[in-house]
Each structure stands twice: as C-alpha cells, then as structure tokens.
Amino acid sequence: MKIEVHIKDKQFAINCGDGLQKVKWLGDVAIFRHSHFYSQINSTTKGIKLENGEMVDLNAIISSTLAENTHVWVVLKEDLEAVGMDVKQQQQQHKRPITAVSRRK
C-alpha cells in the first residue's frame, strides 16, 4: 500500500506494506525523509489531514482509514501556530474518527 504524503513544500510516496502502522507513522516517516534530503525539521507530527482539510485520527490504522494512493498532509506544530490553534485544540479534532475511506479522484 502506498500513500502520498505532503510535508512543507515536498511530497513523498511512502510504501506502507500492508498498512498496519498507525497514521502518525506516515508523518514520522515524512519528517525523517524531509530532514534527510532537504532541511532539518525540529518538530513532530501534530496531525495528518486529508485533501478536504479533515483531520485523520493519528492512532487509526492506515489500511483501515486510508485508501491506496491517498494524498495526506502532515501538520506540524508551527503549522498550528500559524493559524492560531494550539495543540490541544487540534487534538480535539481527533476525537471524531473518520469512518469513510478517502479516495483521490
């Protein structure tokens, strides 16, 4: 299973195997790749959002939540600060799990 992960101004195709990892893992891998190939990111994954802006539960299992080739965006602490949202407000959005699988058209 492959997921397209956007972080800052870069995009990485991340192979997830069977997709049994948690969604947060996608953000961690994207941060590692961005830091390795471009510039260091001194932050952790604070959220993952879909193309429509809906937040995905970080503790959800990838294969149960996302479809093959779905595009997701990593939300970092500085992203939240830029829109005036603190980490606690963002985490409240994770209380409502996504039940439908998102597919890019």
Side-chain angles (χ1 to χ4, degrees):
M1 154 169 234
K2 183 179 73 167
I3 304 294
E4 299 291 332
V5 181
H6 301 258
I7 184 166
K8 296 201 173 265
D9 60 342
K10 304 297 180 199
Q11 176 180 336
F12 299 98
I14 298 180
N15 185 341
C16 307
D18 291 334
L20 301 177
Q21 306 89 333
K22 291 182 179 183
V23 170
K24 184 180 184 305
W25 177 84
L26 290 169
D28 295 342
V29 172
I31 288 170
F32 175 80
R33 289 188 185 176
H34 191 282
S35 294
H36 181 75
F37 292 109
Y38 302 102
S39 62
Q40 182 71 32
I41 296 177
N42 295 318
S43 187
T44 58
T45 304
K46 298 300 180 190
I48 297 285
K49 65 182 178 177
L50 299 172
E51 192 167 12
N52 66 5
E54 189 171 5
M55 298 300 288
V56 180
D57 180 1
L58 292 177
N59 291 312
I61 301 300
I62 295 168
S63 62
S64 299
T65 308
L66 303 172
E68 177 83 18
N69 296 318
T70 298
H71 286 249
V72 297
W73 282 258
V74 177
V75 178
L76 302 170
K77 183 177 180 181
E78 58 264 28
D79 298 329
L80 296 175
E81 291 169 350
V83 296
M85 183 184 288
D86 65 23
V87 174
K88 287 184 181 183
Q89 288 172 319
Q90 187 274 333
Q91 288 171 342
Q92 289 298 317
Q93 293 184 10
H94 287 287
K95 301 262 184 203
R96 184 179 53 107
I98 295 175
T99 55
V101 174
S102 172
R103 299 186 189 278
R104 183 173 172 95
K105 296 178 181 177

